[in-house]
Every structure is written in structure tokens, then in C-alpha cells.
């Protein structure tokens, strides 16, 4: 999302996104965008339905952009200690 949303509206959006099972990751960002949302969808029809449900009638969302993962080269949630 771009053009920073009002904090109370974005807090309500965060709560909705956290509660949604299609949302795999939700990150607050520094810079021109407020949030990054990782969504799991079966196919494009499912993706379109999810984004319509989550974003299109949401007042805190003025605009959103989509990027698709083409290939994963490394994925890890490990934290190196020491």
C-alpha cells in the first residue's frame, strides 16, 4: 500500500489480515509502502477473490501492487545464535 494510511484505519486492516487464513505473512514497512502481505492462493481465480475480499472495499487501502514469486532459491526462518 502506498500514500500512507491513517493509523487507526491501518490498525483495523492489520487485525483483519492477521485473522485471515490466506495471509501467510504481514510486515510493516519503512518507505513509500505501509505493508507487505504474503498471500497463499491456489490459482489466479482464487488470488483475485482473496484480494477483492481483503483490499477492494477496505478504506485504508488506497492502492495495492502485486508481485508474484517465480522461484524460491532459499527460504529459512532460522536465526543464527552466537
Amino acid at each position: 500500500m502506498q500514500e500512507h494510511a491513517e493509523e487507526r484505519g491501518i490498525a483495523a486492516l492489520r487485525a483483519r489480515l492477521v485473522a485471515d487464513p490466506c495471509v501467510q505473512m504481514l510486515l510493516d514497512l519503512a518507505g513509500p509502502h505501509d505493508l507487505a502481505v504474503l498471500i497463499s492462493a491456489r490459482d489466479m481465480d482464487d488470488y483475485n477473490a482473496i484480494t477483492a475480499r481483503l483490499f477492494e472495499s477496505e478504506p485504508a487501502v488506497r492502492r495495492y501492487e502485486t508481485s508474484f514469486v517465480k522461484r524460491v532459491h532459499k527460504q529459512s526462518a532460522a536465526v543464527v545464535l552466537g
Side-chain angles (χ1 to χ4, degrees), residues 76-82:
S76 174
V79 176
V80 179
L81 302 175

Side-chain angles (χ1 to χ4, degrees), residues 13 23 25 28 31 36 58 64 70 75 82:
L13 173 60
V23 175
M25 183 182 297
D28 284 343
E58 174 58 52
Y64 66 93
K70 294 179 1 180
Q75 181 176 356

Side-chain angles (χ1 to χ4, degrees), residues 24-56:
Q24 300 296 302
M25 183 182 297
L26 175 61
L27 305 169
D28 284 343
L29 301 178
H33 304 298
D34 292 325
L35 301 173
V37 184
L38 180 64
I39 294 172
S40 178
R42 287 184 306 276
D43 53 31
M44 281 307 297
D45 288 337
D46 189 37
Y47 168 79
N48 289 329
I50 292 167
T51 56
R53 177 172 50 79
L54 293 177
F55 304 131
E56 290 179 8

Side-chain angles (χ1 to χ4, degrees), residues 5-16:
E6 179 255 329
E7 185 55 37
R8 195 169 63 210
I10 201 163
L13 173 60
R14 275 190 206 101
R16 283 186 55 233

